[in-house]
Amino acid sequence: MKLLHVVGARPNFMKVAPVMAALARQPGVTQVLLHTGQHYDRNMSDIFFRELGIPLPDINLEVGSGSHAQQTAQIISRFEPVALEQQPDWVCVYGDVNSTVAAALVCAKLGVPVAHVEAGLRSFDRSMPEEINRVLTDQIADLLFTPSPDGDANLQREGVPAGRIRRVGNVMIDTLVRLLPQAEGRPVFDALGLAPDAPYCLVTLHRPSNVDQPDSLADILRALDDISRRVPVIFPVHPRTRAQLAALNIAPDGARLRLVEPLGYLDFLALQRRAAVVVTDSGGIQEETTYLGVPCLTLRENTERPITVEIGTNRLIGHDLARLRREVEAILDGGAKRGAIPPLWDGHAAERIAAVFASGSV
Ligand code: UD1
């Protein structure tokens, strides 16, 4: 069996790593790794391959940045000849980025079977590009690997036959479980001047709804500046956010509100694990904090990962920055939300995916 994996953006890398490793242990499986080049910076891509132990991509489409239409179109036109030449038995796509839907569409038109890892998640907010990518990918995928029961229910409501759905758990958590020991003892705390055991707030923001409007981004920065009067705030800044901040001409207090370059996987995991509170608009970080039991405040009106709110440590804050300030205070005063780890977020999701392919039932 020949499987071709398509990845393109940072959150794909921690998902493909365990799936490739689990499939490598199956006899008779050949794997090809294709990087679309959607993310290309050293600290948005290369460092993850190294730290996660992912084989170097066999093929890189080098599409780079562009508008959504340009980026998606480039991936489609560059991937089609590769799919024709490689003739895989299955193409695996991951998550909800532009690379995911573009590759799935090529395969659907060529009649190449597609497996979608992290299927069925829905924010029900079609103003998010990722929601469009999720809905379309799931409609044309042949095999849908879901992380949680809400994923199965969403797919069935949209008419996906139950026989195509396999609930396997969360592959991102596989990577976290494997690398948590390596994240211990990283020198990142010293490098950032964080005292051992002193509380701090960790921030990531890159959603267009938070960072593309100068006024909203400026308001968020002011709230973070307020929070930084009480605890240090560490904010690794995504390139999209960096570009918007440069246009704003805001200079936060660099000692308390630390705007740093995007971090590698291990340093970021080390920081998440010990954070007093995480403020984010990322999907994956909502999941990782739930696993780690770290309180997470999500600056979004909705989430495609409701299980992190229902049973995990996540709270949706929307764009209410007064509430953000209050919730951070409450957490620092000892009022953190407690949570549980969702079923099948156990470090073995990728093995269950490999077992599905090995079973001969697909
Ligand atoms: C993409 C995904 C998003 C995911 C995020 C994680 C889509 C629609 N969005 O958003 O779901 O949460 O990745 O990071 O696929 N840039 C660089 N260097 C890079 C990559 C990007 O400088 O290596 C800059 C470029 O200016 C680019 C901008 O970041 O225009 C946005 O990149 P893009 O891939 O379009 O979307 P993300 O915001 O990264």
Side-chain angles (χ1 to χ4, degrees):
M1 182 182 285
K2 180 172 181 180
L3 285 114
L4 190 154
H5 305 269
V6 176
V7 293
R10 184 169 61 178
N12 292 157
F13 307 139
M14 30 306 230
K15 295 168 195 164
V16 79
V19 177
M20 285 192 84
L23 283 162
R25 292 193 289 272
Q26 296 289 341
V29 172
T30 311
Q31 303 192 73
V32 176
L33 179 58
L34 180 142
H35 191 326
T36 64
Q38 177 175 345
H39 284 175
Y40 45 84
D41 282 357
R42 195 190 56 78
N43 57 12
M44 295 294 287
S45 179
D46 301 2
I47 190 169
F48 292 88
F49 281 77
R50 204 169 55 246
E51 292 189 345
L52 273 50
I54 307 170
L56 286 180
D58 300 288
I59 301 156
N60 193 324
L61 301 181
E62 296 182 348
V63 297
S65 300
S67 70
H68 283 249
Q70 285 166 345
Q71 195 174 58
T72 309
Q74 289 286 345
I75 298 167
I76 289 175
S77 63
R78 294 185 196 187
F79 179 51
E80 184 183 48
V82 175
L84 283 168
E85 189 204 319
Q86 291 285 333
Q87 302 211 336
D89 296 299
W90 282 94
V91 168
C92 293
V93 297
Y94 296 82
D96 55 18
V97 302
N98 287 344
S99 301
T100 311
V101 68
L105 187 55
V106 168
C107 294
K109 296 288 179 106
L110 293 177
V112 176
V114 177
H116 184 202
V117 177
E118 199 189 84
L121 300 187
R122 296 290 180 270
S123 66
F124 303 102
D125 174 359
R126 295 232 174 155
S127 70
M128 285 181 75
E130 292 81 4
E131 183 74 355
I132 307 294
N133 295 345
R134 291 181 201 111
V135 169
L136 297 183
T137 303
D138 286 340
Q139 277 298 318
I140 55 182
D142 301 275
L143 188 54
L144 298 104
F145 293 116
T146 59
S148 44
D150 52 293
D152 302 39
N154 292 334
L155 293 172
Q156 292 194 39
R157 204 176 37 249
E158 291 171 14
V160 175
R164 291 190 184 175
I165 306 168
R166 303 282 197 287
R167 193 184 321 150
V168 292
N170 192 326
V171 290
M172 200 164 204
I173 300 301
D174 289 10
T175 294
L176 187 154
V177 168
R178 178 170 69 92
L179 292 180
L180 205 46
Q182 280 187 49
E184 294 295 322
R186 301 281 301 176
V188 62
F189 298 99
D190 283 347
L192 290 169
L194 293 170
D197 302 327
Y200 58 88
C201 170
L202 180 64
V203 178
T204 79
L205 295 169
H206 71 282
R207 296 268 162 227
S209 60
N210 282 322
V211 307
D212 281 5
Q213 298 300 323
D215 288 351
S216 338
L217 185 55
D219 287 346
I220 294 172
L221 258 275
R222 272 190 284 277
L224 296 176
D225 201 43
D226 290 346
I227 293 167
S228 78
R229 288 171 219 278
R230 172 130 186 220
V231 285
V233 175
I234 310 297
F235 182 0
V237 184
H238 184 284
R240 170 192 277 280
T241 313
R242 173 78 64 189
Q244 302 295 340
L245 281 174
L248 274 183
N249 214 359
I250 287 188
D253 171 4
R256 305 285 300 169
L257 172 51
R258 305 283 307 274
L259 273 50
V260 298
E261 288 299 308
L263 295 167
Y265 184 80
L266 295 172
D267 281 346
F268 192 76
L269 179 54
L271 283 171
Q272 270 195 93
R273 184 177 199 182
R274 273 190 36 199
V277 55
V278 173
V279 175
T280 193
D281 57 11
S282 149
I285 293 169
Q286 295 172 51
E287 298 181 337
E288 290 171 344
T289 46
T290 273
Y291 184 87
L292 295 168
V294 170
C296 179
L297 302 174
T298 297
L299 287 183
R300 286 176 46 188
E301 302 289 348
N302 49 55
T303 177
E304 63 288 339
R305 285 140 162 115
I307 201 163
T308 61
V309 175
E310 283 152 21
I311 71 171
T313 53
N314 190 18
R315 276 202 174 121
L316 288 183
I317 300 299
H319 296 97
D320 182 347
L321 297 173
R323 180 166 173 211
L324 174 70
R325 290 175 174 92
R326 280 199 310 275
E327 296 268 3
V328 169
E329 287 291 327
I331 290 167
L332 294 173
D333 290 338
K337 179 185 179 191
R338 300 207 185 283
I341 298 174
L344 301 181
W345 292 24
D346 58 359
H348 300 288
E351 289 159 33
R352 289 187 278 270
I353 290 176
V356 170
F357 283 114
S359 69
S361 66
V362 294

